[in-house]
Amino acid sequence: MNREENIKQISDQSKIWDIAVIGGGSSGLGVALDAISRGLTVVLLEKADFAKGTSSRSTKLVHGGVRYLAQGDVGLVLEALKERGKLLKNAPHLTENQPFIIPVYSWMERVTYSAGLKLYDWMAGSLSLGSSTFINKEETLRRLPSVKSAGLKGGIVYHDGQFDDARLALAIAKTADDAGACILNYASVKDLIKDEHGKLIGLKVRDELNGEKYSLRAKMIVNATGVFADKILQMDQPGSEKMIQPSQGIHLVMDRKFLGGNDALMIPKTRDGRVLFAVPWHDKLVVGTTDTLREKPKLEPTPLQKEIDFILETAASYMKEAPTRKDVLSVFAGLRPLARPKEGGTKTKEISRSHKVIISDSKLVTLTGGKWTTFRKMGEDTVDHYPEVSGELVTPSQSLDMKLYGYTMEIPEGHWSVYGSEAKAIQDLAKKNPELAEKINPNYPYLMAEVVWAIQNEMAVRVEDILARRIRLLFLDAHAAIDSCQKVAELMAKELKKDQEWITAEVEDFKKLAEKYLIKV
Ligand SMILES: Cc1cc2nc3c(=O)[nH]c(=O)nc-3n(C[C@H](O)[C@H](O)[C@H](O)COP(=O)(O)OP(=O)(O)OC[C@H]3O[C@@H](n4cnc5c(N)ncnc54)[C@H](O)[C@@H]3O)c2cc1C
C-alpha cells in the first residue's frame, strides 16, 4: 500500500468512483473488500489509522456468539458461524481455532451448557471447528490449572475462532488495495457534496498529515464510521435523530500464568449477567469485557475504575491466584456502535447486535451495528444496495471465498504468523541489515525490520501505528511500548526523512497516549 500514490488517485478531479467508503474499521473495510470483489471502483477514507477505533479493541474472537444463542437470536448466530468458518479458511495466518472451557460447578449448569453448545456445533454444520465435549474435574484442572477447584464438577470444551483484529484489518486493506481499491489512512471526511436535487454526489476530504484538501465524486457513499456515524448523518441532515448508542467494553491484559495452559476460559454468567472471557493472545492473557453505556463517541475511550474493579473481582472468583491492579500490563477500552432503540431502554444487553443498512433521502448509505466476525457479510449486504443508489447494475458478491493478503497454509512460527507469506521477506530484511535485526524491546520478539516493513508496505506513518496496530505492544504491555517508542521514532524518522522535532513530538504524543493503557496501582 502506497499512501502517496493513493493520494494522487484522489487528486484526479475527473474520476467518479463507484463507491466511496468513510471509515477504515472492520465495517468500512468489509464494504471495500466486497465492492472490489464485484469489479467496482472504490475509495476508502479513514480519518486516523486503520482499525484505530473499535476494530483494534475487540475480545479478539471470531465467533458465532454463544450468548446470542442463549438470547434466542438464531439468525444472527447462523450468519456469524458461517462467516467464522469462512474467515478461518481465508485468513489462516491471522486466525486460529481456539478451544474454550466453561468450568461447571453444578450438574444443572452441565446439562444447560452442554445442550446449548451441541446446538451451536450443529448450527456450524460443515464449517464446525470441533465438537463440544464434557471433561471431568481432573481433566479440567489439567487444562486450566489456575481455575478454582472447590465445588468444580468438570468443564465443557467448545471451539470458536481467535484473531489479531488490527492485523486482520490491515490484511483486508491490503487485499482491497492490491486488487485496485484506493485505501487511505489519515484522510478525514469533512463534508458531503450534494447536487441540485439534494442527492449525494461527493465528499470533501482533508489529509490529516499536511492539511491538504480534496473533493471526490462518487456514485454511492457509505458511512461506516462506527460510533461516529451520527456525525456523518448530521452532515447529511443537520438536526437528524441520533442512531448510535455507544457502549464501552474494556479488557485487561496480564501474564498467561493467571490461567495456565493453552485453553481459553469462558464464564457464561457473571454477577451482572454478562459473559467473561480470558483468552490467550500473543503469549499474554486478555480478560474482558464490560458493557457500560457512554454518551459521547471517542477514538480513545477511557476505562472506568468500576469496570477495572469488576473484571478483577470476577476473575478473582474463578482463578486460584487472583490478579491485582499491579498485574495488569495494559488496559484497553472500545466502544460498541450499537443501534439506539427508538423507545428509550437503557440495558445495553437488550439493544440489537445485528447490523443494519440504512439509506437516507439523499442516498447516504449508513452501515451500523454488527460485529467483527461478520464484517464481510456486512460489506456484501451494503454493496447489494448499489443498484438502488447508483441506478447501475452490479454483479453478485465474490468476497466469500477471497483469500486475504498473506494467505498461506505454511504458517510461520511464533509472532511471524500474522505476516503469513510475507514473513520471509521481513526476515530477509533483518538478515541483510544488522541494525534491523535488533529487537524493538529486549523482552519481546519484534524486530526493527518490522518497523521498516510497516512503513514501506503497511502505510504506517506514526509511532502509534507501529506500536499499537502493526505490532500490538501497546495492547500487550504498555510499559514496554513506552520504553520502545524513542527507538522506533528514530528509525521512522530516518525512513520517512523527518527531523529531530518530529521525533520529539512523536515520542511525547505516544507517551501521552500510552499512559491511558496503564493502571494506577
Ligand atoms: C469491547 C468490545 C469487544 C468486542 N469483541 C468482539 C469480538 O471478540 N468479536 C467480534 O466479532 N466483534 C467484537 N466486537 C465488535 C466489533 O469490534 C465491532 O463491531 C467492530 O469493530 C466495529 O467496527 P466499525 O468499523 O463499525 O467501527 P470502528 O472500528 O470504530 O471504525 C470506524 C472508523 O471510522 C473512522 N471515522 C470516523 N469518522 C470519520 C470521518 N469523518 N472520516 C473518515 N473516517 C472516519 C474512525 O476513525 C474509525 O476508525 C467487540 C466490540 C467491543 C466494543
Side-chain angles (χ1 to χ4, degrees), residues 1 48 54 106 173 234 242 244 274 280 289 314 321 324 390 411:
M1 288 196 296
T54 306
S106 77
Q234 286 296 324
K242 275 193 180 171
I244 301 296
R274 288 195 47 78
T289 180
T314 312
E321 184 186 345
T324 63
S390 70
I411 313 293

Side-chain angles (χ1 to χ4, degrees), residues 7 92 113 117 188 191 213-214 256 281 312 314 376 391 422 427 451 475 478-479 488 494:
I7 285 280
Y113 300 146
L117 287 164
S188 179
D191 210 349
K213 294 191 177 116
Y214 302 90
R256 275 183 77 162
W281 187 63
L312 287 175
T314 312
R376 190 212 61 82
E422 295 192 304
Q427 289 161 353
V451 176
F475 286 73
H479 275 299
V488 169
K494 217 157 121 185

Side-chain angles (χ1 to χ4, degrees), residues 22-28 45-49 51-63 163 187-190 224-228 232 235 247-251 289-290 299 334-337 369-374 378:
I22 318 172
S26 64
S27 307
L45 306 148
E46 162 54 51
K47 76 171 173 183
D49 186 26
K52 159 77 182 178
T54 306
S55 297
S56 57
R57 302 152 190 275
S58 76
T59 313
K60 328 295 177 202
L61 304 181
V62 188
H63 62 161
F163 76 130
S188 179
V189 171
K190 292 291 180 197
T225 52
V227 284
F228 301 95
I232 306 291
M235 290 178 194
S247 154
Q248 178 160 297
I250 74 151
H251 293 87
T289 180
T290 51
L299 263 186
L335 296 175
R336 294 176 191 85
K371 55 188 186 158
W372 232 124
T373 306
T374 53
M378 291 165 65

Side-chain angles (χ1 to χ4, degrees), residues 51-54 56-57 60 251-253 298-303 308 325 327-334 464 467-469 472-482 509-520:
K52 159 77 182 178
T54 306
S56 57
R57 302 152 190 275
K60 328 295 177 202
H251 293 87
L252 306 183
V253 180
K298 278 187 183 165
L299 263 186
E300 273 302 335
T302 24
I308 296 170
R325 297 173 86 85
D327 297 310
V328 177
L329 299 168
S330 181
V331 51
F332 59 91
E464 178 199 334
L467 288 173
R469 289 171 296 276
R472 307 304 304 275
L473 198 54
L474 179 63
F475 286 73
L476 295 168
D477 185 339
H479 275 299
I482 292 172
D509 278 2
F510 183 77
K511 285 185 177 165
K512 217 185 275 169
L513 169 79
E515 283 290 321
K516 295 186 178 163
Y517 292 69
L518 294 172
I519 284 189
K520 303 233 168 11

Side-chain angles (χ1 to χ4, degrees), residues 254 276 287 310-323:
M254 53 189 80
L276 189 90
V287 188
F310 169 77
I311 292 183
L312 287 175
E313 279 162 25
T314 312
S317 56
Y318 289 91
M319 293 174 185
K320 276 183 198 149
E321 184 186 345

